Amino acid sequence: MKIKPMRVLLYVVLVIVSLMTLYPFLWMIAASFMPMADIVGGNMQLISPNMSLDNYRFILNVNNHFPRWFLNSVIVSVVGTLTNVFLNTMAGYALSRIEFKGRNQLYYALLALIMVPSQVLLVPNFLLINSLGMLDSYAALIVPAMVNIGYIFLMRQFFVNFPSECEEAAYIDGLGRMACFFRICMPLARTAIATQAIFIFMGFWNEFTRPMLYLRTMSLFTLPLGLQTFQSRDAGEMWNQIMAAATLTVMPIVVMYFVFNRYFMMGVRMDGDK
């Protein structure tokens, strides 16, 4: 094969950019196993002869808040993702498949609401949550974010291109609208569902602003808010412990991506084909 200089240059640039992106993440993981003296020693080495699990023992045993913050994030992210996937998919299906009066007007209204920045709604949401008595609870983080207009649009576009012959065959076999949706449409939409599930889970897991506004009790803090509290109140300048806490914070996202990567890539390719 003839080697093209521009292709070689392209791969060199891609490798350099990849290393620049990946190295800080690898250093964070390596620093989580190092003592403080090695971190502040002035080098950025990934391997140290003094590496141990002491930082993780401190995070999980001495600091008894961190396991609770981790559990809070798991509860909020899992429940929020499941409700979003279910409601967004149903809404997208209804807007694409069910004929009802005002469907197009409702769709255009939802598209217009996408233009509203989420920061504008922080104060109204806070007042509404406070009046409903949901402040300082899981519901304050889950209920206002149970649906997402962007992913409703994503699912609508998927079902617009969904072959109607599949539904017609199901109706002939005796399935009703709901049975057809749950037994035919949702299983065939798993690539689009997995794509939105990844991003929704990441949004809930990494959310910092809303927990900071809505939560007061430390035992209810999620990981991002707990990590900020841990850094400012407990760890101070103990970067080895902070890196251990940060590593535990990002690991579920990495694991989820690798688990759903196949469906995610299929969804990206399918959207590109459409």
Side-chain angles (χ1 to χ4, degrees):
M1 294 179 62
K2 185 178 179 180
I3 300 177
K4 298 180 179 180
M6 291 304 297
R7 182 175 293 274
V8 174
L9 179 62
L10 174 62
Y11 279 108
V12 169
V13 172
L14 290 176
V15 170
I16 293 175
V17 173
S18 300
L19 291 176
M20 292 175 61
T21 304
L22 188 61
Y23 187 83
F25 178 74
L26 295 178
W27 185 87
M28 178 189 71
I29 297 176
S32 67
F33 295 97
M34 299 180 186
M36 184 64 179
D38 289 354
I39 294 178
V40 298
N43 52 46
M44 293 290 289
Q45 60 184 2
L46 296 179
I47 303 298
S48 169
N50 303 315
M51 300 178 80
S52 67
L53 295 174
D54 292 343
N55 299 325
Y56 290 97
R57 293 191 186 99
F58 177 86
I59 292 296
L60 298 175
N61 297 327
V62 179
N63 187 340
N64 55 5
H65 291 297
F66 199 87
R68 179 64 189 182
W69 295 337
F70 190 92
L71 178 62
N72 293 339
S73 286
V74 170
I75 293 173
V76 172
S77 300
V78 170
V79 175
T81 300
L82 292 177
T83 54
N84 260 271
V85 166
F86 182 71
L87 296 177
N88 295 340
T89 305
M90 291 192 72
Y93 178 82
L95 289 172
S96 63
R97 291 300 195 186
I98 302 177
E99 295 285 346
F100 58 91
K101 187 176 181 180
R103 184 185 71 172
N104 292 333
Q105 290 77 5
L106 176 60
Y107 173 64
Y108 295 138
L110 291 176
L111 289 182
L113 290 176
I114 295 181
M115 308 300 176
V116 180
S118 59
Q119 292 82 1
V120 175
L121 303 177
L122 287 177
V123 174
N125 282 339
F126 179 86
L127 297 176
L128 182 61
I129 290 172
N130 188 34
S131 64
L132 293 175
M134 295 191 303
L135 207 62
D136 199 27
S137 67
Y138 292 144
L141 304 178
I142 298 173
V143 174
M146 289 178 66
V147 294
N148 187 292
I149 299 175
Y151 297 113
I152 291 176
F153 174 77
L154 171 70
M155 297 309 301
R156 178 191 178 276
Q157 294 305 108
F158 177 86
F159 286 118
V160 163
N161 296 278
F162 189 79
S164 58
E165 291 80 5
C166 295
E167 292 177 278
E168 293 171 358
Y171 295 148
I172 293 175
D173 289 339
L175 292 182
R177 174 75 72 178
M178 293 297 292
C180 179
F181 173 75
F182 285 109
R183 298 179 62 179
I184 304 298
C185 296
M186 280 198 74
L188 293 178
R190 59 183 179 272
T191 54
I193 291 175
T195 300
Q196 67 162 322
I198 291 174
F199 290 109
I200 291 171
F201 186 89
M202 288 175 59
F204 276 102
W205 189 269
N206 296 324
E207 181 66 49
F208 175 78
T209 304
R210 290 190 295 120
M212 182 181 63
L213 291 176
Y214 302 152
L215 301 180
R216 298 291 181 269
T217 305
M218 185 174 293
S219 60
L220 292 176
F221 285 1
T222 56
L223 269 179
L225 182 58
L227 183 60
Q228 189 273 338
T229 304
F230 172 74
Q231 179 179 354
S232 60
R233 297 180 53 178
D234 300 330
E237 298 297 327
M238 300 301 294
W239 294 107
N240 53 335
Q241 299 171 4
I242 295 173
M243 291 299 102
T247 300
L248 290 177
T249 301
V250 302
M251 277 299 112
I253 297 294
V254 176
V255 171
M256 183 178 182
Y257 174 77
F258 281 111
V259 170
F260 290 98
N261 178 59
R262 178 168 62 94
Y263 296 108
F264 174 73
M265 297 306 299
M266 289 173 60
V268 171
R269 289 195 297 268
M270 184 175 297
D271 291 341
D273 293 340
K274 292 177 183 178

